[in-house]
Amino acid sequence: MTTYSEYDVLIIGSGTAGLTLALQLADNARVAILSKDQLKESASLYAQGGISVVLDQADSIESHINDTLIAGAGLCDETSVRYTVEHARESIEWLIEQGVSFTKDGVTSETYHLTQEGGHSHRRVIHSADATGREVETTLLAKAIAHNNIALFPFHIGIDLITSQKQLGESKNSCLGCYVLDIKADTTHQFIAPTTVLATGGAGKVYLYTSNPDVSTGDGIAMGWRAGCDVANMEFVQFHPTCLYHPKAKSFLISEALRGEGAKLVLANGESFMERFHEQGELAPRDIVARAIDHEMKRLGDDCVYLDIRHQSAEFIESHFPTIHKRCLKLGIDITKEPIPVVPAAHYTCGGLVVNQQGQTQVEGLYAVGETAHTGLHGANRMASNSLLECLVYARSAALHIQSLLPFNTLLPAIPDWDASRARPAKEAIAISHNWDELRRFMWDYVGIVRNDDRLKRAERRLALLQQEIDEYYHQHHITSDLLELRNLADVAELIILSALKRRESRGLHYTLDYPEANTDQAAENTPIAGKSWELDSTL
Ligand code: FAD
Ligand code: SIN
């Protein structure tokens, strides 16, 4: 049975972007936050390195802008870059006001320790040791839980957006809320609101190997696309160069901040190799480091390379990288005494739903913030630690815009119930788990760090088959969170493959053997993939 809940603002996702937006609105609006897992479970929780911000006297806004543009390989939107960088300091001050504690530099208690990561020409990454995300996420979440105007719904997964075109047959397309599955109770609900915000994070789980947590299945990108939003830059999937290579370490990242503190990438024989690939060596932009590692692993037939930070004292390592040190030690690797085995893994979705500076999509009443959105900041490659910054800056600008529209007086129309009449309980879950594995494996093998047209077309053919099966299954069976996520992953895979096939050049994170050079004409044609028309999708 479908129940009905009405709020001023419905936020789908409780990571940094969703919580920041909620806290900035809640004094004036009734806010609901949905989260498909425990409230804190998100990519935000696992962020390690930190947040980029110009605080050092020797650094400058122009330098941060310039580094971001260089990393973005010609595809950043300069207005978005400037806007983000110029609002960084106030975003950090806001976090500190909320109670977030950043590591001090130890010289005086007034200044913060800044670290350096790939692509940055200065030390400008503020951090909480090597667990910045945990500090930010848990602090903001505690604030949200304590706020009277914020209702939190853990284990509630958004199924599909409710739009005036699709559900009411109107010509204008506005968003009226979301159909939601309460995972624990196994019941569906309508959450109705004049403003809905997608803050569902990225889609790293579309690849077999990823630094992302299980919740990163691209749900917001897929839901927004199905509701009619344009999607841009999905070919630019960032592979983080250094995830821990160990059979028992699922998705554990070894922060770029280690390389910022001088750690060297070496082969099994101890030979360092990054200087052969880029003058910035270990601190070259991520696409270059990840491709160099991939190249060396393939050339030598090795399973991993190694990251060596033994030039630093044990005391330094334990105080700057306590999380990484402890986790590795638990797995039998003492990073103060031996190099760390590492491999690249899918890490960040640079593309997403196209939004303006206020976070608005093309669908009226629908916003997207954080990793789900494409603001133009990252271009063809995101610079390290610019993501949490984007979450903060754009959540604030979206909040200010939504605030300017309050109070909402519009009486929302009656919405049809979620139609489960055609669905029967699934006899076995193997079809879903098999398709999850198959999808993630062919995305890794055919749409990974190095691509070519043959592999992309092979992936496209396999995906078409899978999508047909998923669609049939979706219409015939009761929905579960696994099925919803699989359907969304398949949509995201389609967007990545279509975008990669369209880009007949190599640029930033998209590297193809068929077109190994950058092509300026192609870059100028950087058109998004149009949102789906609801008539093409007979979901309900
Ligand atoms: P998330 O934090 O991923 O939150 C998404 C939320 O949406 C979750 O609550 C999830 O449960 C919910 N959700 C998803 N789908 C649904 C649905 N259908 N229904 C309901 N809820 C849903 N960036 C930096 O700038 N600096 C770093 O140091 C850094 N380190 C990183 C380390 C790791 C290991 C990883 C994985 C990423 C790192 N990043 C870093 C990237 C950064 O953490 C993310 O881009 C950022 O946290 C994304 O925040 P978000 O709020 O957009 O999404
Ligand atoms: C890291 O700590 O290496 C991750 C930083 C990021 O993804 O921005």
Side-chain angles (χ1 to χ4, degrees), residues 48-50 117 238 240 253-257 286 347 382-387:
Q48 293 185 350
E117 291 177 313
Q238 182 171 76
H240 196 291
L253 191 75
I254 305 295
S255 176
E256 196 154 302
R286 274 190 196 163
H347 181 62
R382 173 182 72 102
M383 192 165 68
S385 290
N386 268 353
S387 169

Side-chain angles (χ1 to χ4, degrees), residues 21 67 101 122 134 189 194 209 211 217 220 259 283 392 409-410 430 465 475 482:
L21 190 109
D67 291 346
S101 163
H122 286 273
R134 179 167 289 275
H189 302 259
Y209 302 109
S211 67
T217 51
R259 280 176 278 138
L283 288 179
L392 298 165
N409 295 318
T410 21
I430 187 70
L465 262 177
H475 288 103
D482 278 350

Side-chain angles (χ1 to χ4, degrees), residues 214-400:
D214 289 347
V215 293
S216 304
T217 51
D219 297 4
I221 298 173
M223 284 195 278
W225 189 41
R226 291 196 293 266
C229 300
D230 288 357
V231 183
N233 283 19
M234 290 298 287
E235 66 273 43
F236 300 118
V237 176
Q238 182 171 76
F239 292 82
H240 196 291
T242 56
C243 286
L244 183 61
Y245 177 72
H246 190 281
K248 289 197 180 137
K250 189 183 164 207
S251 340
F252 188 69
L253 191 75
I254 305 295
S255 176
E256 196 154 302
L258 270 79
R259 280 176 278 138
E261 300 302 341
K264 296 294 282 179
L265 280 164
V266 294
L267 302 173
N269 64 6
E271 178 196 329
S272 100
F273 59 90
M274 267 318 297
E275 55 279 10
R276 280 197 267 119
F277 292 87
H278 198 273
E279 76 240 11
Q280 281 174 283
E282 273 72 8
L283 288 179
R286 274 190 196 163
D287 54 327
I288 292 160
V289 184
R291 264 200 309 279
I293 296 175
D294 185 67
H295 177 274
E296 290 301 290
M297 281 168 53
K298 287 200 170 112
R299 182 175 73 84
L300 298 165
D302 284 351
D303 291 333
C304 64
V305 296
Y306 296 85
L307 188 66
D308 194 345
I309 191 164
R310 286 176 298 171
H311 67 287
Q312 294 283 10
S313 67
E315 192 195 2
F316 178 92
I317 294 171
E318 282 164 32
S319 65
H320 278 74
F321 304 111
T323 315
I324 295 171
H325 176 250
K326 276 192 208 117
R327 180 70 191 271
C328 288
L329 208 52
K330 245 187 167 172
L331 294 165
I333 305 163
D334 183 348
I335 71 171
T336 65
K337 298 203 176 85
E338 57 195 311
I340 313 163
V342 291
V343 284
H347 181 62
Y348 185 81
T349 313
C350 289
L353 301 176
V354 176
V355 295
N356 64 13
Q357 206 167 80
Q358 288 72 43
Q360 290 174 286
T361 69
Q362 294 133 296
V363 177
E364 196 180 304
L366 181 64
Y367 295 69
V369 289
E371 199 169 332
T372 304
H374 172 264
T375 63
L377 171 66
H378 308 305
N381 183 18
R382 173 182 72 102
M383 192 165 68
S385 290
N386 268 353
S387 169
L388 288 172
L389 178 60
E390 184 189 45
C391 289
L392 298 165
V393 170
Y394 276 84
R396 178 166 171 72
S397 81
L400 288 173

